[in-house]
Amino acid sequence: MKIHLLLLACILPFVACSNNNNSKAVAAEVETIQEDTLTLVDTSLYADMQLRENCFIVISKQEQKLYVCEVVENDTVRVAEFPVCLSQNLGQKERKGDMKTPECTWEQPFSITQIQNASDWVHDFGDGRGSILAYGNWFMRLKTPGFSGIGIHGSTNNEDSVPGRASEGCVRLRNDDLDTLKEQYAFEGMKVVIKHEDEGLKPFEEKYY
């Protein structure tokens, strides 16, 4: 948002002193920028966290975002968001090795069962690089009934994959974002909702769009 406002501040004086043809062209560009600005998420609406234990995570496959939300009195608010990398293949996970990220319902969410130090964990992606550091500093193991080994972790040696669809089923964050999530928001027992690709917005989510 600040970038758009700065760009407008630079463009508008030029519009005032340009000839008519240039003025019309630049004015049209300004209008386009203004329209684009309206589609941006206004993170100023995000609240400061009040109580960590009242927070939960929502992961949107459609937006490739992880949102930290908090229940505050009779409302649910967002307090943070991070881009994520999800599975290579779309849809609900059906079997081990299908390269899909499991989904759940709001009524039966997943949860973080462990937050493990993964700073020296390695993985072989089968891309010729061999076993390399791959998980960032933390692995937030999820309880995903029917499947094991699914978690939220970093993207060491794969930072460019975030956001995107390139994982084997886990949820990747950029390493710095993972550290922030762990230090400021996450805890063992935290509820995690992973939405399917075409799932709509809950009423509390609509105010952010």
Side-chain angles (χ1 to χ4, degrees), residues 184-203:
Q184 297 187 20
Y185 305 108
F187 58 91
E188 292 185 359
M190 188 179 202
K191 302 302 180 185
V192 178
V193 175
I194 303 181
K195 301 166 65 174
H196 59 79
E197 277 85 5
D198 59 354
E199 185 172 343
L201 300 174
K202 286 288 187 180

Side-chain angles (χ1 to χ4, degrees), residues 49 52-53 55-57 68 82 112 114-115 138 140 152 178-190 192:
M49 183 184 69
R52 184 187 288 227
E53 51 261 47
C55 290
F56 63 97
I57 287 171
V68 180
F82 306 99
I112 297 175
Q114 290 178 291
I115 300 178
W138 309 101
M140 302 179 187
I152 301 170
L178 178 70
D179 291 343
T180 299
L181 179 64
K182 190 268 181 184
E183 295 300 327
Q184 297 187 20
Y185 305 108
F187 58 91
E188 292 185 359
M190 188 179 202
V192 178

Side-chain angles (χ1 to χ4, degrees), residues 164-182:
R165 302 296 300 250
S167 84
E168 296 176 352
C170 287
V171 179
R172 287 183 200 162
L173 278 73
R174 293 172 183 147
N175 291 338
D176 288 347
D177 289 344
L178 178 70
D179 291 343
T180 299
L181 179 64
K182 190 268 181 184

Side-chain angles (χ1 to χ4, degrees), residues 74-130:
N74 296 321
D75 195 11
T76 300
V77 297
R78 284 180 178 170
V79 297
E81 71 169 67
F82 306 99
V84 297
C85 172
L86 298 163
S87 60
Q88 300 172 30
N89 296 327
L90 305 181
Q92 173 67 296
K93 190 168 187 64
E94 299 173 335
R95 65 185 182 279
K96 182 178 179 180
D98 64 5
M99 303 294 184
K100 295 181 180 181
T101 299
E103 305 160 353
C104 63
T105 65
W106 293 84
E107 294 73 25
Q108 294 182 303
F110 299 146
S111 62
I112 297 175
T113 59
Q114 290 178 291
I115 300 178
Q116 300 169 272
N117 187 325
S119 57
D120 60 353
W121 290 15
V122 298
H123 183 72
D124 189 340
F125 292 93
D127 56 6
R129 294 184 294 174

Side-chain angles (χ1 to χ4, degrees), residues 30-44:
V30 170
E31 184 177 352
T32 299
I33 293 171
Q34 290 173 327
E35 290 175 355
D36 289 344
T37 301
L38 296 177
T39 67
L40 297 177
V41 175
D42 185 358
T43 53
S44 67

Side-chain angles (χ1 to χ4, degrees), residues 14-34:
F14 175 73
V15 174
C17 64
S18 299
N19 61 39
N20 289 339
N21 290 335
N22 285 340
S23 295
K24 290 178 181 179
V26 176
E29 180 66 18
V30 170
E31 184 177 352
T32 299
I33 293 171
Q34 290 173 327

